[in-house]
Amino acid sequence: MSTASLIAFDGGAAVLELVELSKRFVGVQALDRCSLAVSPGTLLGFLGPNGAGKTTAMRSVFGLVRLDHGEVRWAGRPVAVEDRLRFGYLPEQRGLYPRMRIRDQITYFGETHGMSRPAAAERADRWLAAFGLANRAGDRLEQLSHGNQQRVQLAAALVHDPDLLVLDEPFAGLDPVAVDRLGAVLREQAEAGKAVLFSSHQLDLVEHLCEEVVTIDHGRVVMSGRLADLKRAFPYRRVEIEVRHGDGAWLPQVSGIVEQAIDGERVSLIVDRDVDLGALLAAAEAAGPVTHFAFEPPSLSDLFRRAVAP
């Protein structure tokens, strides 16, 4: 499923393009002809194991990495300094001032992106309220919990109403309520026509939020496209069957089973995509009353594991 030549998705002309990026650090090939694209109104999940090159790729968008090869483009041309004023960035490592007051800090970041102080302050108040931090506006960053510091970092990335959001592990350290709120914010940004690229190891969140994903491993794209299409093309499915008083002895009668696990009366299977479900159910019913039968498409975790398998 490698698509290293991918430049645009079907959803529209690409706004952000990473074209054949290569970068080598001492002893490590961080990026190896890595290409991806994000279109307007798209939430793109950027996945990969630790050390796969995700952070290097995202830093390249902001000119923080000197590439050995390749180019980052915005609207079809090389990214310029003035373009980056319209980008919002949340780095994996905290990029804020620990002793600066929260409202002042967000306002400052708005000003660095070309906003007037009154406009930046008004937008800072709006995002502090949205993230439940209005009552902490006068506190210093170092007084906040890790999760609340992450919310401030997000507000700083959003304050200037960017056209592109690049977020490196934005859900890290957030409680479930904050995760839900951030997910809603990212959807709102995409629905407003923004391009959103974010990385996360929380694959269930990516699956819930994104229609499109790109996975890299050792700096190379190993899987990309629409999640629904990737699931449809995946060669395996999951099946769970529970037979009252059963012990799974009926399983050898059925072809197409790749993996199996038996836990009492319940059997969990990985089966070929085209397995004969009728034959599978009939074999189970012949062994006893079937009390549970579930046929499930692959999860994003299944796709990810197969894409990055050694």
Side-chain angles (χ1 to χ4, degrees), residues 50-132:
N50 290 330
K54 302 184 300 297
T55 294
T56 301
M58 287 188 280
R59 285 171 58 86
S60 73
V61 175
F62 297 88
L64 301 175
V65 172
R66 180 173 293 180
L67 296 166
D68 300 327
H69 177 82
E71 185 175 59
V72 180
R73 298 175 186 164
W74 177 251
R77 53 181 170 72
V79 173
V81 173
E82 56 270 22
D83 294 324
R84 293 192 178 107
L85 293 177
R86 302 299 310 142
F87 298 171
Y89 181 40
L90 185 148
E92 184 177 20
Q93 301 299 323
R94 193 74 67 229
L96 301 174
Y97 301 100
R99 296 186 180 181
M100 193 173 183
R101 299 190 186 278
I102 295 166
R103 184 176 186 267
D104 293 342
Q105 187 151 187
I106 299 171
T107 299
Y108 167 75
F109 277 101
E111 290 182 277
T112 63
H113 285 83
M115 300 178 73
S116 68
R117 176 174 286 272
E122 186 277 331
R123 195 70 63 78
D125 289 337
R126 186 187 307 177
W127 282 114
L128 285 172
F131 287 124

Side-chain angles (χ1 to χ4, degrees), residues 193-207:
K194 311 300 179 63
V196 183
L197 172 69
F198 76 94
S199 71
S200 179
H201 290 297
Q202 296 168 266
L203 299 185
D204 55 334
L205 290 174
V206 177
E207 186 167 11

Side-chain angles (χ1 to χ4, degrees), residues 15-261:
V15 173
L16 177 70
E17 299 170 88
L18 277 56
V19 184
E20 297 285 315
L21 303 190
S22 292
K23 176 62 182 179
R24 185 174 182 82
F25 297 104
V26 177
V28 177
Q29 188 70 42
L31 295 173
D32 188 2
R33 301 283 178 172
C34 176
S35 295
L36 63 85
V38 191
S39 302
T42 298
L43 269 171
L44 178 64
F46 191 30
L47 313 176
N50 290 330
K54 302 184 300 297
T55 294
T56 301
M58 287 188 280
R59 285 171 58 86
S60 73
V61 175
F62 297 88
L64 301 175
V65 172
R66 180 173 293 180
L67 296 166
D68 300 327
H69 177 82
E71 185 175 59
V72 180
R73 298 175 186 164
W74 177 251
R77 53 181 170 72
V79 173
V81 173
E82 56 270 22
D83 294 324
R84 293 192 178 107
L85 293 177
R86 302 299 310 142
F87 298 171
Y89 181 40
L90 185 148
E92 184 177 20
Q93 301 299 323
R94 193 74 67 229
L96 301 174
Y97 301 100
R99 296 186 180 181
M100 193 173 183
R101 299 190 186 278
I102 295 166
R103 184 176 186 267
D104 293 342
Q105 187 151 187
I106 299 171
T107 299
Y108 167 75
F109 277 101
E111 290 182 277
T112 63
H113 285 83
M115 300 178 73
S116 68
R117 176 174 286 272
E122 186 277 331
R123 195 70 63 78
D125 289 337
R126 186 187 307 177
W127 282 114
L128 285 172
F131 287 124
L133 293 173
N135 64 336
R136 307 297 300 271
D139 291 351
R140 293 181 175 85
L141 184 78
E142 62 188 2
Q143 296 175 283
L144 302 186
S145 67
H146 175 81
N148 280 338
Q149 288 185 24
Q150 184 78 336
R151 298 187 200 198
V152 175
Q153 183 88 59
L154 288 162
L158 289 159
V159 64
H160 58 293
D161 192 26
D163 297 321
L164 168 71
L165 278 169
V166 178
L167 310 176
D168 197 350
E169 293 290 342
F171 295 97
L174 298 183
D175 61 56
V177 173
V179 166
D180 290 343
R181 179 56 188 144
L182 175 57
V185 166
L186 296 187
R187 283 198 193 93
E188 291 165 3
Q189 294 293 304
E191 289 169 1
K194 311 300 179 63
V196 183
L197 172 69
F198 76 94
S199 71
S200 179
H201 290 297
Q202 296 168 266
L203 299 185
D204 55 334
L205 290 174
V206 177
E207 186 167 11
H208 180 63
L209 288 171
C210 298
E211 292 185 1
E212 299 169 358
V213 296
V214 170
T215 302
I216 65 173
D217 190 23
H218 295 97
R220 296 182 179 182
V221 174
V222 294
M223 178 178 72
S224 70
R226 295 185 182 278
L227 190 51
D229 295 337
L230 295 171
K231 287 186 174 187
R232 195 175 298 115
F234 195 71
Y236 306 120
R237 301 291 185 266
R238 290 185 177 273
V239 177
E240 282 193 352
I241 306 175
E242 191 167 318
V243 178
R244 187 175 299 159
H245 307 307
D247 60 2
W250 53 273
L251 284 173
Q253 306 171 35
V254 182
S255 62
I257 296 176
V258 179
E259 295 180 19
Q260 64 184 55

